Amino acid sequence: MIDFEGERLVTAWTSTAFGGRRQWWMCPSCDRRCAIIYRRGTGPLWGCRVCMGGRYASEHKSVQDRRIQKATKIRKKVGQTSGGLTAPFPIKPKGMHWRTYDQLRAEAQEIEKRVWAAEMAWLDRLKCKT
């Protein structure tokens, strides 16, 4: 147990690989074991992300934005630093297996095909309105 700002927060320990130990917070609201607990406002209410209704940033993004983010992440993995999705796909980095490169390139191309199809559909809808 830890006393924090006048409140008592309970912790638990678990064993990890190779003989280590890890400390967890016990959510005061649902008794769930969690890595982070949050405080809502200035009141005494503490809880985990689930109890507090917290969301991941990606949950607020559109499908198209998530696709763009994933394609960009793949391009960064193969060494692209600028240019976005309009730049040619980067060449294979030194030390990367060809099989890995080919898989990443195929995945990126499939995602980018969907991105560009959605963009074209949006432009077509925009043309029809004018």
Side-chain angles (χ1 to χ4, degrees):
M1 270 191 264
I2 296 174
D3 287 322
F4 184 75
E5 294 184 8
E7 296 187 46
R8 186 163 285 176
L9 301 173
V10 179
T11 61
W13 291 87
T14 58
S15 298
T16 61
F18 307 112
R21 289 174 35 113
R22 182 177 191 320
Q23 188 173 18
W24 298 92
W25 295 105
M26 297 301 293
C27 174
S29 301
C30 68
D31 226 20
R32 180 178 162 267
R33 190 175 63 200
C34 53
I36 302 171
I37 58 171
Y38 302 92
R39 184 179 200 168
R40 182 168 293 177
T42 57
L45 185 59
W46 290 86
C48 63
R49 184 186 64 83
V50 175
C51 292
M52 296 303 224
R55 299 287 175 254
Y56 293 112
S58 63
E59 292 179 274
H60 298 287
K61 292 184 176 184
S62 68
V63 172
Q64 184 74 339
D65 287 340
R66 289 195 306 272
R67 284 183 188 144
I68 292 169
Q69 182 179 14
K70 188 170 186 177
T72 303
K73 186 176 182 180
I74 292 170
R75 285 172 169 261
K76 283 182 182 175
K77 200 180 271 191
V78 293
Q80 181 175 330
T81 57
S82 63
L85 302 185
T86 58
F89 198 80
I91 61 171
K92 182 184 85 65
K94 183 178 181 181
M96 181 179 279
H97 288 273
W98 274 105
R99 182 177 176 187
T100 302
Y101 176 77
D102 290 339
Q103 287 173 343
L104 290 171
R105 185 176 182 158
E107 184 180 1
Q109 286 175 335
E110 182 61 34
I111 294 167
E112 290 172 21
K113 189 181 348 174
R114 291 181 182 174
V115 167
W116 294 119
E119 292 295 323
M120 295 306 292
W122 180 78
L123 287 173
D124 285 343
R125 285 193 306 271
L126 195 60
K127 280 187 206 174
C128 291
K129 289 183 180 180
T130 57

